[in-house]
Amino acid sequence: MEALRQDDPRRFGRFTALARFDEGASAVRYVARDTASGEVALITAARPELAAVPVFRRRFLAEARTAERLAGGWVSPPLDSDGKPETPADGPDPLWTAAGYVPALPLAEAIGITGPLPERALRILGAGIAEILSRVHAAGSVLQGLAPGTVLLAVDGPRLAAFGPLGAAASAEAGPGGQLSVRLGYLTPEQIEGREVSAASDLFVLGLLLAYAATGTTPFTDGPAEEAARRIGGDEPELDGVPEALRELIASCLAKDPDRRPAAGTVAAELALEGAAGLARGGWLPERLAEAVAEQEARVLALEAPEETAETGRTAVTPEAPGAMDKSLQPVPAKAPEPEDARPVEASAPPEDAPAPPAETSEARPPAASAGDGDTGEDRGATRSPGTASRPPRTDRATTQLAVPRELTAPPGAAPAPAAGPMPTAPPVDPRQPASAHGGPAPYPAATLPAGAAGATGFGGPGGGPMVSLPLPPAPAPSPGPAASRRTLLTIAAAAVGGLVVGGGAVAALGSGDTAAATDDKPAPKPRRTLPGQAPEPRWVYAHPASESSPLTTAVWRDELLVVTSESQASAVDLRTGKRLWQRADAAKGQAALAAGADLVFVASPTAFLWLSPKNGKVLHRVRYTDAFADLPGLTVGRLAGNSGPVIWFTGSHTVTVKAPKPKKGKKKAEDKEVVRAHFFAYDIVRREELWRTPVPAGRAPGTPAYRVVVERSADVLVRQDSTTLTAAEVKAAKGKGSLRSFDQKTGKLLWTKQYGAASPAAATVGDEDGTLYTAVGTDLEAFETDTTKPLWRVEGSDGSVFGTPLIAGPLIHTTERSRLVGAVERESGRLVWRRSTEVPGIGNAPSLALSASEKTLIASDAVQVTAFSAADGERLWKFQDIGSADPKGATVSASYRALTVGETVIVQRDRSFYAFPVA
């Protein structure tokens, strides 16, 4: 950290800037505090000269939107954005985002403090980042946001601070005509060859980061700088310093062929089977790093808002007045290092469809220090933590200079300029940008690359690398003119074959908005084959119309229809094609559809039972509750408790007036009372008649208890009441224990009520026809004899977690835990067969489980993703995430996933989106 500078903004919306945290190629980060609540935030503010470029603003907001969609776990949730910090009247509009402050060190800074990380820390670091990548890749997107400065080390695990190429850029420059040149610090073999990036590209960079964290250097460092690209593309990585147990995995990430690299989920599982959070319990950072993080936190908490001068309103902090700032934020004088020269390359003409660049303009260069003067390369205004030394002299040029000099070529058709000696050297690194802020130590020396065979160039000069056009959020189209024949594009310059252009539609950066049109006339590349761990191509995708209310219930009817109910109507989707067939307003707010015989769809609406035609949704039969239960006036039907064949079970309640008894002589008559009476019903939806009803205690107001059928047996049906509908008196009488009720199958008579061990009223419970009950007790899963309550076996759960509702499948019972562990246990003995993690942060409830019709594939769904496992051995098959709207201004989807299995298909739902995936 360092003190605020004269031209730094002081206010970001509700936050007051306290100090500079660090700075990168495209933005400066500030520590700030909400003066009203005391909340500390980390503000990422775009550099003003870049914020003035429209294409940068759209990309910046898109990456901020990505962070919002990934919030949770190892990604800090955003707090605010688009505030109005003080800026000069003639400056660009401010552009910033705020996230919760988490004490953490950039990976590059951590390596500088303590050197290479031990194996356990490497596993946690890699697993945490791989878990994030797994979430990104499950949505079919690519992150491109990894670098030593964007990966942070906190006390509880790693964090990611960049969510796209802007955040991880090694350099970013605004060019003439609204162009933006962004150079990435890390390259992959496919980028060097001019091919499209993919999920596998993120894995290559992850391999580089892990090798760097394990050795303090990267595996392609040795050798001449100008041959860096050749070494990355052709040489094998040097991994001798990597711990032997991790060497093979990291080497597989660094495979030249993208198809040979493992999936992110596979990497996470091999590094930490129990998940990064589980492995990090009890601390994971070496002592010196833990102390440095604690020291940083203490310094941040001790920061106070700088005083402002009466004349300017700016903080009175200058190098000449060091007393005006925190002593821990004193500037450290240092000279700027002298950059190395870039090797000259031959200029060549641009392609015919390239935009015409304007004339070259001169730029001011910062003075360079002379070699060998003892310079440390440290910023004059940098702040060092107490007890740490200044950075050692750098021997390699920073990664920002990996691309070649910024000479602009003549427009198409112009005569070539005569040669005038070597081309200008690459601009020196801004000494105000410490390496740890945006890329850390160069992963390999800077390289000057030859121009492409066709002599193509992009912004930044010949040999500047391929311009990878990314899809952008929509923007108003510029007025056509002779100098603007093509749409303005954000170009990512990577050191590779000079000037090769990759089609703009080929790369889908997460959260980047709509897909841009291709930047040339070449056909789009064929889809890549599915990578291991990536969800298969869906058979179809259905989007519930945005003009209609969101779905309430979803059910499969006879393997033919997907019936979706909402506040406004019920609709049916063809399970073969994903096309909507009909909608019916009569069934609005209906409960899950069931099959009533071979040719009717049964739906329970708030006022009636409905039987619909599966062909067009027409109501063929209607039984109003006022008619079917005429002796229970005003009956309110609760949610269905369960069904078996044509029989459904449900609860209902109505209010009756109880007359006050006749008062004794001389006494005042008491008032009549309104009392809620509740019943438990069995109803045949084929014969359309009530089978039985039995009175049950009324629930919490408004009075209808919510039941769930735990198991149906030949003689009885066992039900559990939802704990949220228990009355205060029932909760008190239960003394923290839940109970089950047994009702006779034929008459509905209550047979018994039992409690099982210390199972709570909210404990997940399921039973089988053989007389065994499985229920969560504390952090464990226990099996009991249903009729005697005798304990049979117990499976220990993970610390601090609880089991969710198990799923019975033949001789196994599949388990699920809030810690995101899914497994299989033998029903007879309780022996653990397998247990695997879904590799997502442990937030929310335990994943819900579904089994394919063949019982070969187990589907786990939670608030973050859907994970498919092999039911036999727990092998992770694939993961899927739908991050919601790709429009940066679209609504954030936070609904949990649901999975319904039918035949060889699993229907995955998240809010309005439905996907039909093939499963075994």
Side-chain angles (χ1 to χ4, degrees):
M1 287 188 297
E2 65 172 283
L4 296 173
R5 299 175 183 174
Q6 289 285 357
D7 56 349
D8 283 331
R10 272 25 180 196
R11 297 285 301 179
F12 296 92
R14 60 190 174 98
F15 297 100
T16 300
L18 304 178
R20 279 186 166 226
F21 187 78
D22 61 18
E23 57 183 309
S26 62
V28 179
R29 293 200 293 176
Y30 299 90
V31 177
R33 181 181 291 121
D34 183 341
T35 52
S37 65
E39 183 177 29
V40 179
L42 205 58
I43 307 290
T44 301
R47 295 186 180 277
E49 65 273 18
L50 298 177
V53 181
V55 70
F56 177 91
R57 295 182 68 89
R58 296 199 298 275
R59 171 59 61 176
F60 184 93
L61 294 174
E63 293 188 11
R65 196 67 177 164
T66 299
E68 182 178 347
R69 293 189 180 107
L70 291 174
W74 307 124
V75 178
S76 298
L79 301 178
D80 207 346
S81 64
D82 290 335
K84 298 293 182 184
E86 300 174 12
T87 55
D90 58 349
D93 292 336
L95 189 62
W96 60 272
T97 62
Y101 166 70
V102 176
L105 298 174
L107 175 60
E109 182 178 338
I111 298 301
I113 292 174
T114 193
L117 298 180
E119 180 181 329
R120 179 169 173 269
L122 289 171
R123 288 183 176 276
I124 295 168
L125 170 65
I129 301 304
E131 288 169 7
I132 299 175
L133 292 179
S134 180
R135 295 171 58 193
V136 174
H137 297 167
S141 303
V142 184
L143 183 66
Q144 290 187 285
L146 298 181
T150 66
V151 174
L152 309 178
L153 310 186
V155 292
D156 59 344
R159 294 291 193 281
L160 187 60
F163 306 94
L166 285 189
S171 72
E173 299 170 359
Q179 286 188 321
L180 179 69
S181 176
V182 177
R183 296 187 178 99
L184 298 177
Y186 275 74
L187 299 181
T188 66
E190 54 268 29
Q191 286 175 297
I192 291 174
E193 295 175 4
R195 292 183 287 153
E196 62 178 297
V197 296
S198 66
S201 303
D202 284 336
L203 270 297
F204 186 89
V205 181
L206 176 61
L208 288 174
L209 285 175
L210 289 178
Y212 168 67
T215 63
T217 184
T218 50
F220 300 105
T221 300
D222 294 340
E226 60 272 15
E227 296 181 5
R230 180 195 59 76
R231 294 198 302 273
I232 295 170
D235 291 358
E236 292 301 315
E238 298 178 5
L239 301 176
D240 292 344
V242 174
E244 185 176 355
L246 305 180
R247 201 171 298 160
E248 182 178 353
L249 178 62
I250 294 177
S252 66
C253 292
L254 296 175
K256 308 301 181 188
D257 183 357
D259 291 340
R260 297 180 65 85
R261 298 171 200 157
T266 301
V267 174
E270 291 196 24
L271 290 173
L273 183 60
E274 63 272 62
L279 187 57
R281 289 193 184 101
W284 71 291
L285 292 177
E287 184 177 355
R288 291 180 62 189
L289 294 185
E291 292 173 353
V293 171
E295 178 188 324
Q296 179 197 100
E297 180 180 19
R299 292 176 60 203
V300 167
L301 296 178
L303 288 174
E304 297 182 359
E307 296 181 359
E308 298 182 350
T309 63
E311 294 81 0
T312 66
R314 292 292 187 181
T315 306
V317 177
T318 65
E320 290 76 26
M325 67 181 78
D326 186 334
K327 291 183 178 181
S328 65
L329 301 179
Q330 295 285 350
V332 180
K335 299 179 182 178
E338 180 182 9
E340 297 179 6
D341 291 339
R343 195 179 77 173
V345 298
E346 296 297 327
S348 54
E352 294 181 359
D353 61 350
E360 181 178 357
T361 58
S362 60
E363 298 184 27
R365 307 292 191 204
S370 60
D373 62 356
D375 171 41
T376 64
E378 190 170 18
D379 176 16
R380 294 177 183 273
T383 302
R384 289 200 304 262
S385 300
T388 62
S390 60
R391 293 195 300 269
R394 296 182 182 173
T395 56
D396 291 326
R397 195 152 35 110
T399 312
T400 49
Q401 303 310 316
L402 197 56
V404 293
R406 300 180 293 179
E407 179 177 279
L408 297 174
T409 59
M423 294 178 61
T425 61
V429 181
D430 186 340
R432 294 173 300 172
Q433 299 180 6
S436 62
H438 55 93
Y444 35 78
T448 301
L449 301 170
T457 62
F459 178 75
M467 299 305 182
V468 183
S469 305
L470 297 180
L472 297 170
S479 301
S485 60
R486 305 177 55 152
R487 70 178 286 182
T488 302
L489 295 173
L490 162 65
T491 57
I492 304 299
V497 201
L500 182 62
V501 177
V502 177
V507 182
L510 184 63
S512 60
D514 66 333
T515 302
T519 57
D520 51 34
D521 298 328
K522 296 179 181 179
K526 295 181 180 180
R528 299 172 59 85
R529 72 177 182 83
T530 300
L531 294 172
Q534 184 173 335
E537 286 294 322
R539 303 184 194 276
W540 51 257
V541 178
Y542 167 71
H544 194 69
S547 59
E548 301 176 10
S549 54
S550 296
L552 295 176
T553 68
T554 307
V556 170
W557 182 84
R558 296 184 60 83
D559 296 358
E560 297 178 20
L561 299 178
L562 179 70
V563 181
V564 181
T565 65
S566 67
E567 292 281 348
S568 57
Q569 63 189 10
S571 54
V573 177
D574 190 329
L575 282 175
R576 296 169 302 171
T577 64
K579 304 296 184 182
R580 185 152 83 165
L581 301 178
W582 51 259
Q583 56 256 28
R584 179 63 55 179
D586 303 66
K589 302 180 182 179
Q591 299 194 52
L594 301 171
D599 55 359
L600 291 174
V601 179
F602 172 84
V603 176
S605 79
T607 60
F609 290 147
L610 305 176
W611 286 261
L612 312 179
S613 166
K615 296 181 179 179
N616 55 24
K618 181 180 179 180
V619 178
L620 301 179
H621 304 284
R622 185 192 309 265
V623 175
R624 292 182 171 86
Y625 302 147
T626 53
D627 298 331
F629 311 102
D631 58 330
L632 302 175
L635 179 70
T636 298
V637 173
R639 73 184 187 203
L640 299 185
N643 69 284
S644 177
V647 178
I648 62 171
W649 296 281
F650 61 93
T651 54
S653 67
H654 72 124
T655 303
V656 299
T657 301
V658 178
K659 297 287 186 179
K662 186 177 180 180
K664 294 181 179 180
K665 187 176 180 180
K667 299 292 184 179
K668 184 179 179 180
K669 181 181 179 180
E671 295 182 356
D672 295 342
K673 294 183 179 180
E674 300 291 323
V675 178
V676 176
R677 297 281 171 81
H679 294 82
F680 184 43
F681 298 84
Y683 190 93
D684 191 313
I685 62 175
V686 172
R687 296 179 359 214
R688 297 194 290 280
E689 66 179 19
E690 179 182 345
L691 299 179
W692 50 256
R693 77 177 72 160
T694 188
V696 294
R700 186 188 299 270
T704 304
Y707 283 4
R708 182 178 68 85
V709 173
V710 172
V711 61
E712 178 205 10
R713 303 191 295 182
S714 58
D716 63 354
V717 56
L718 272 61
V719 301
R720 181 82 176 263
Q721 183 172 346
D722 189 323
S723 61
T724 61
T725 65
L726 293 171
T727 64
E730 288 173 325
V731 172
K732 183 178 180 180
K735 298 181 179 180
K737 295 183 178 181
S739 59
L740 261 64
R741 295 185 175 101
S742 169
F743 294 92
D744 187 275
Q745 276 273 29
K746 295 181 179 180
T747 65
K749 177 183 177 181
L750 177 64
L751 301 178
W752 48 257
T753 301
K754 298 180 185 293
Q755 294 179 330
Y756 295 85
S760 70
T765 305
V766 70
D768 61 28
E769 297 178 357
D770 299 331
T772 305
L773 192 77
Y774 311 92
T775 184
V777 180
T779 61
D780 302 333
L781 180 70
E782 292 195 32
F784 298 87
E785 285 187 355
T786 303
D787 295 319
T788 66
T789 72
K790 175 184 176 182
L792 298 177
W793 50 256
R794 178 171 61 90
V795 174
E796 293 185 358
S798 52
D799 293 340
S801 183
V802 294
F803 279 89
T805 303
L807 180 64
I808 296 173
L812 300 178
I813 178 168
H814 293 290
T815 63
T816 173
E817 300 181 56
R818 186 182 296 171
S819 59
R820 297 303 181 271
L821 293 177
V822 175
V825 173
E826 289 182 352
R827 287 169 57 188
E828 183 70 24
S829 63
R831 185 183 70 85
L832 183 65
V833 178
W834 60 263
R835 182 181 286 174
R836 300 284 186 274
S837 171
T838 60
E839 302 170 345
V840 297
I843 56 176
N845 297 322
S848 59
L849 302 179
L851 201 62
S852 64
S854 66
E855 298 190 353
K856 293 181 179 180
T857 305
L858 180 68
I859 308 295
S861 309
D862 55 31
V864 178
Q865 72 180 22
V866 174
T867 310
F869 297 89
S870 168
D873 57 14
E875 178 189 0
R876 293 178 195 82
L877 304 177
W878 50 262
K879 298 180 180 182
F880 172 76
Q881 287 186 343
D882 170 13
I883 63 171
S885 172
D887 183 355
K889 296 183 179 179
T892 299
V893 178
S894 57
S896 295
Y897 292 88
R898 294 188 61 206
L900 301 171
T901 57
V902 49
E904 296 181 346
T905 302
V906 56
I907 309 297
V908 172
Q909 176 197 358
R910 193 182 196 197
D911 194 29
R912 298 175 180 271
S913 300
F914 297 81
Y915 302 82
F917 292 108
V919 292

